[in-house]
Amino acid sequence: VCTEDTATGTEERGLDEPTSTGQGNVTNATTTMIYLIRRMVVPTMLSNTSASIEDCRVYQRVLRITSHLWCIPYYRRKMKVDLAILIEHFVLKILCLGPQIHPSSGSFDDGNIPIVSDEMPSLLNQQLAVLEELKVWFSNPKAAVDFYVNYDSPEEMLPSAYCKLLNKLIEALCTLGEKCATIVSDHGRFTSINASPKKSTPL
């Protein structure tokens, strides 16, 4: 669940962001926490890429951790590159695979769209999980602005691989939507053809 960006919200206190009480101790604790996340949590998440492809439950857990880090403003400011790596790896790459359905395999006769099952398992559930998380991310206007400021603003000095991340995300979503619309349109056309009554042949 995305933590709201409120100045008085206690959800973002503790180790999430330093407070005025015990500023030095909390700052040190927060710095240590961020260091541990960078050195231990992020590499562990990336090392579970294969498991997240094979098991959607693993992917959902990885995505939930990424979402939690992104939804906390302090982590958004202090872990820009780390979050960019996770978003690029677990969000963009999944969306850029295109619709995880293959109309050319199987049959439309039963009214169902066949699922990809050739060399790798279908990642349809992973794509649906990404779309659900993106709804949460961009339901917060400040988080949406931070996404642009952190990765697409010309004033932000980041490695070129992580620049224009918002633009890449929008492009991936548009491409995925267009391909899905084409598949749905073709599916409707085949269903209409199959459902139409056959003409009787004159004797």
Side-chain angles (χ1 to χ4, degrees), residues 14 91 128 144 170 174 179 195:
V91 175
L128 294 176
I170 294 173
C174 290
K179 291 181 178 180

Side-chain angles (χ1 to χ4, degrees), residues 14-18 25-35 74:
L15 289 180
D16 293 340
E17 190 163 4
N25 292 335
V26 176
T27 301
N28 292 336
T30 306
T31 302
T32 302
M33 177 63 73
I34 290 178
Y35 177 83
Y74 189 72

Side-chain angles (χ1 to χ4, degrees), residues 12-198:
E12 296 175 5
R13 298 305 182 183
L15 289 180
D16 293 340
E17 190 163 4
T19 61
S20 57
T21 304
Q23 184 82 27
N25 292 335
V26 176
T27 301
N28 292 336
T30 306
T31 302
T32 302
M33 177 63 73
I34 290 178
Y35 177 83
L36 292 174
I37 293 174
R38 284 174 169 169
R39 298 302 179 188
M40 299 181 67
V41 177
V42 173
T44 300
M45 292 167 67
L46 294 173
S47 68
N48 278 278
T49 299
S50 297
S52 67
I53 291 176
E54 297 170 0
D55 191 337
C56 186
R57 293 172 298 177
V58 176
Y59 180 80
Q60 288 174 336
R61 181 60 60 88
V62 170
L63 186 62
R64 195 171 299 127
I65 295 173
T66 304
S67 185
H68 178 74
L69 293 174
W70 172 255
C71 287
I72 295 177
Y74 189 72
Y75 290 142
R76 287 205 298 267
R77 294 196 301 269
K78 299 296 183 180
M79 297 180 59
K80 293 179 182 179
V81 174
D82 305 270
L83 282 169
I85 292 172
L86 294 175
I87 293 171
E88 179 89 25
H89 195 74
F90 290 110
V91 175
L92 267 179
K93 286 187 177 181
I94 292 294
L95 294 177
C96 289
L97 289 174
Q100 290 298 288
I101 48 181
H102 203 305
S104 62
S105 63
S107 172
F108 284 100
D109 293 340
D110 56 359
N112 297 320
I113 301 179
I115 301 297
V116 174
S117 58
D118 299 332
E119 299 177 356
M120 62 179 295
S122 169
L123 300 182
L124 177 61
N125 289 331
Q126 283 85 335
Q127 286 186 337
L128 294 176
V130 167
L131 295 176
E132 287 296 327
E133 287 299 326
L134 289 178
K135 285 168 57 180
V136 176
W137 292 10
F138 290 99
S139 65
N140 185 337
K142 188 178 186 304
V145 172
D146 283 348
F147 206 111
Y148 170 79
V149 172
N150 287 358
Y151 305 114
D152 287 60
S153 174
E155 299 178 359
E156 194 65 41
M157 299 298 293
L158 286 176
S160 58
Y162 308 118
C163 290
K164 305 296 182 184
L165 197 58
L166 180 60
N167 185 67
K168 294 177 184 177
L169 182 60
I170 294 173
E171 183 178 353
L173 288 170
C174 290
T175 302
L176 180 64
E178 290 174 358
K179 291 181 178 180
C180 287
T182 300
I183 292 174
V184 171
S185 176
D186 291 342
H187 181 214
R189 181 167 57 84
F190 281 116
T191 302
S192 176
I193 292 175
N194 293 333
S196 59
K198 297 181 179 179

